[in-house]
Amino acid sequence: MNKEKVFTIAIDGPCGAGKSSVANDVAKKLDIMHLDTGAMYRAVGLYMMRNEVNVKDLSAVEARVDEVEIDIKYENGRQRTYLCGEDVSEIIRSQEIGDAASAVSKGAYVRKKMVERQQAIAKGVSLLADGRDAGTCILPDATLKIFLTADVRERAKRRYDERVKKGEACNFEDVLKECIERDKNDMTRAVSPLIQAEDAVVVDSTNMTQGEVVDKIIALLEERLGA
Ligand code: DC
């Protein structure tokens, strides 16, 4: 594969499709930066919650978004997300913060600020970005665009299994409802809704292992770059 050339990969898709884990593995194998763009919206959500701003009140959120200082750093090849100097990489993973991220991400000004930062990070380097608008907004000229999806029951099952593994008490039907709600939020918002980019390759991971998805993406990239 011609790795001398700068190349970019955009992976978008609904929650629970396995974007983060797949993106991490692909980036590691290719030795390129992985930008988890959802972490930035999560940090904004956390900031608003800590400051008692109602995340559903978009004018209140947008009035304060300039205060949010987000830094993305890489330690041992993995992204760490800093909010106003504090490493929040773990705290932002909760369901509550995910819902807050989904709410604040509806704001046009919030999105403008995040996309500007993401494009500045991506400038001139080989990188893989995953999120909801990586192929449609952040990296419109990406070398490879993937729309990673899976059946909603399968996505909910993966989420449910993950939580059970962490020892969290949960119920499958509730997790399924959360996934359906999150999809609706992300796909129906007015600004940059989650949609498949016209030139994206759809990968349905319902009956695929994580390893198979990773191999498929790398094979598609090799094809694009001319192995
Ligand atoms: O990928 P994630 O679960 O960490 O994302 C959390 C929320 O952030 C998601 O529900 C929608 C929003 N998001 C977005 O609007 N655009 C992105 N590029 C990434 C995430």
Side-chain angles (χ1 to χ4, degrees):
M1 196 192 309
N2 179 5
K3 288 218 275 165
E4 298 296 296
K5 207 177 130 195
V6 170
F7 61 91
T8 50
I9 306 174
I11 304 184
D12 293 304
C15 66
K19 290 187 304 291
S20 295
S21 333
V22 163
N24 223 14
D25 282 4
V26 171
K28 211 171 186 179
K29 282 201 172 180
L30 297 170
D31 195 21
I32 59 170
M33 200 192 269
H34 165 209
L35 178 61
D36 167 5
T37 63
M40 297 172 71
Y41 291 93
R42 285 172 181 264
V44 175
L46 174 63
Y47 181 88
M48 297 302 160
M49 285 180 67
R50 282 181 170 175
N51 287 281
E52 294 175 9
V53 176
N54 176 358
V55 291
K56 293 194 172 156
D57 180 349
L58 287 183
S59 17
V61 167
E62 300 215 310
R64 303 214 37 192
V65 72
D66 284 337
E67 296 166 19
V68 186
E69 277 171 41
I70 299 173
D71 279 310
I72 300 295
K73 297 184 184 169
Y74 288 86
E75 286 163 24
N76 301 321
R78 281 192 93 99
Q79 174 174 325
R80 304 297 299 177
T81 307
Y82 287 77
L83 173 62
C84 303
E86 175 192 349
D87 184 348
V88 294
S89 312
E90 268 83 40
I91 308 169
I92 55 171
R93 296 326 317 171
S94 74
Q95 174 68 32
E96 195 187 16
I97 303 298
D99 290 342
S102 185
V104 300
S105 71
K106 290 183 179 176
Y109 184 57
V110 174
R111 301 205 69 83
K112 181 175 175 283
K113 289 209 66 157
M114 295 304 123
V115 171
E116 272 170 16
R117 280 297 300 281
Q118 290 152 3
Q119 289 182 329
I121 294 171
K123 201 163 184 184
V125 294
S126 286
L127 154 147
L128 182 159
D130 80 295
R132 304 293 188 287
D133 61 347
T136 50
C137 285
I138 308 167
L139 302 169
D141 300 321
T143 316
L144 176 66
K145 296 181 187 178
I146 300 289
F147 192 82
L148 183 61
T149 188
D151 176 75
V152 69
R153 287 191 78 84
E154 173 63 23
R155 290 189 277 122
K157 188 179 172 299
R158 291 178 193 166
R159 281 260 145 122
Y160 172 80
D161 289 346
E162 238 171 60
R163 289 195 202 160
V164 169
K165 212 163 139 191
K166 279 195 217 157
E168 286 175 30
C170 65
N171 163 299
F172 175 74
E173 290 305 320
D174 288 343
V175 180
L176 178 62
K177 247 194 257 161
E178 276 166 23
C179 279
I180 293 171
E181 189 58 28
R182 181 77 75 82
D183 284 355
K184 194 173 133 219
N185 248 331
D186 294 344
M187 291 172 171
T188 60
R189 67 173 175 234
V191 191
S192 307
L194 167 65
I195 46 164
Q196 184 195 319
E198 266 177 33
D199 48 351
V201 179
V202 180
V203 176
D204 184 334
S205 71
T206 309
N207 297 307
M208 291 172 87
T209 64
Q210 188 172 315
E212 285 169 342
V213 176
V214 170
D215 289 347
K216 173 151 188 144
I217 294 174
I218 292 180
L220 286 165
L221 180 78
E222 283 173 348
E223 230 175 79
R224 293 281 159 97
L225 291 176

